[in-house]
Amino acid sequence: MSNNWMETLKYNEQGLIPAIAQDYQDGTVLMVAWMNRQALELTVSTGEIHYWSRSRQELWHKGATSGHIQKLKKLYYDCDRDVILVKIEQIGDVACHTGARSCFFTEVPI
């Protein structure tokens, strides 16, 4: 399959696009990170999720050091072509750097 669709995405001024990682089985949103074109290409070609670390200014293979790898199951972009959704299998069931399953564990009382 051609990767021409990557050319049609709307990256920000830094060449990045937000990526939402969602559990492909139960729909839990696990984390949000950033991808550049190279991270997207690596994700598609390897079947494992790669991001761009804004703090370290380098590619980040999710789980390379922790073992909590994210395996790509499906990939979508939104109607405006400015957000990526990766449906993943989370190995180890830990996506957050805090050790939690999801980065979204703090509920705001409303």
Side-chain angles (χ1 to χ4, degrees), residues 71-108:
K71 294 191 180 262
L72 179 64
K73 295 299 184 178
K74 294 186 178 194
L75 191 148
Y76 301 84
Y77 50 82
D78 75 329
C79 57
D80 292 327
R81 297 180 177 263
D82 60 0
V83 178
I84 296 290
L85 172 64
V86 286
K87 294 200 175 199
I88 60 149
E89 175 186 1
Q90 178 66 58
I91 305 302
D93 206 32
V94 173
C96 185
H97 73 281
T98 65
R101 176 170 190 245
S102 169
C103 293
F104 296 95
F105 54 82
T106 305
E107 184 176 354
V108 176

Side-chain angles (χ1 to χ4, degrees), residues 1-6 37 41 44-45 72 75-77:
M1 179 181 168
S2 168
N3 287 339
N4 290 341
W5 59 271
M6 289 184 199
R37 172 73 187 252
E41 289 172 345
V44 171
S45 67
L72 179 64
L75 191 148
Y76 301 84
Y77 50 82

